[in-house]
Amino acid sequence: MKANVRLINLKNYWEKLPDFSTSHILLRIPLAIVFIQQGLSKFPFDPSTGAAFGLPPLVWWFVCFGEVAAGVGLLLGALTTMSPLKDMPVVAELGDLITRFSGITMCCVITGVIWVVVKPESLMQFILNDNLHLFLWVGGLYFGLRGNWAVAVQKKTT
């Protein structure tokens, strides 16, 4: 009997908590700022800078523009989760697609940085000693896999 009362009280507790459906923005903003800042620091585009890392001009071009575009895309994806926009036809779905593509792009760029620049001796050494790149990679992976999922589910249930 007491166990049922505790479960009911626990259920009431969870129902009273506010919905933090925009909390993803707390992750998006710093992640986007870092990518945009790093991308803009590589402009004006100079193939010789990429050559210093052993990268061909086309790959360096994708790195430069990919970093900026991924950061901007992450912010654009966040805008499509806001009330007036998310209710428009196709906007929520497009925002989800932009968020996922931006996250995947972030993972690709950071994977390249890890392999070409950082060159860790082992996975454990990387995890323990390179917190910045680990955070950037996991953040990109999170948005690549999750997208704007919460908004899409919310849209389906209403």
Side-chain angles (χ1 to χ4, degrees):
M1 184 70 171
K2 287 186 178 184
N4 285 342
V5 171
R6 288 182 186 160
L7 287 175
I8 290 170
N9 287 339
L10 186 61
K11 185 177 179 185
N12 290 338
Y13 171 77
W14 287 112
E15 287 175 357
K16 291 178 184 177
L17 284 175
D19 179 27
F20 296 107
S21 61
T22 57
S23 60
H24 58 92
I25 293 173
L26 297 174
L27 291 174
R28 286 179 192 257
I29 291 174
L31 194 57
I33 287 172
V34 169
F35 268 84
I36 292 169
Q37 179 186 26
Q38 288 299 308
L40 290 177
S41 72
K42 294 171 176 65
F43 286 99
F45 176 74
D46 183 10
S48 65
T49 307
F53 293 107
L55 300 175
L58 182 62
V59 173
W60 186 244
W61 186 90
F62 275 109
V63 169
C64 297
F65 286 94
E67 284 181 340
V68 175
V72 170
L74 208 57
L75 296 176
L76 282 175
L79 287 177
T80 65
T81 66
M82 300 301 163
S83 259
L85 288 175
K86 74 178 178 182
D87 299 326
M88 296 176 157
V90 189
V91 170
E93 292 81 1
L94 184 61
D96 182 68
L97 187 66
I98 291 169
T99 295
R100 289 178 191 272
F101 187 75
S102 296
I104 291 167
T105 302
M106 289 176 171
C107 280
C108 292
V109 169
I110 293 300
T111 299
V113 169
I114 294 166
W115 282 347
V116 173
V117 179
V118 177
K119 299 178 185 174
E121 295 173 17
S122 68
L123 178 62
M124 190 57 70
Q125 188 257 344
F126 169 71
I127 290 171
L128 294 175
N129 297 318
D130 196 352
N131 300 328
L132 175 65
H133 291 114
L134 180 64
F135 164 73
L136 295 174
W137 191 84
V138 170
L141 183 63
Y142 173 81
F143 286 110
L145 294 175
R146 186 152 173 109
N148 293 350
W149 183 80
V151 173
V153 168
Q154 189 179 38
K155 190 172 183 177
K156 286 180 185 176
T157 59
T158 57

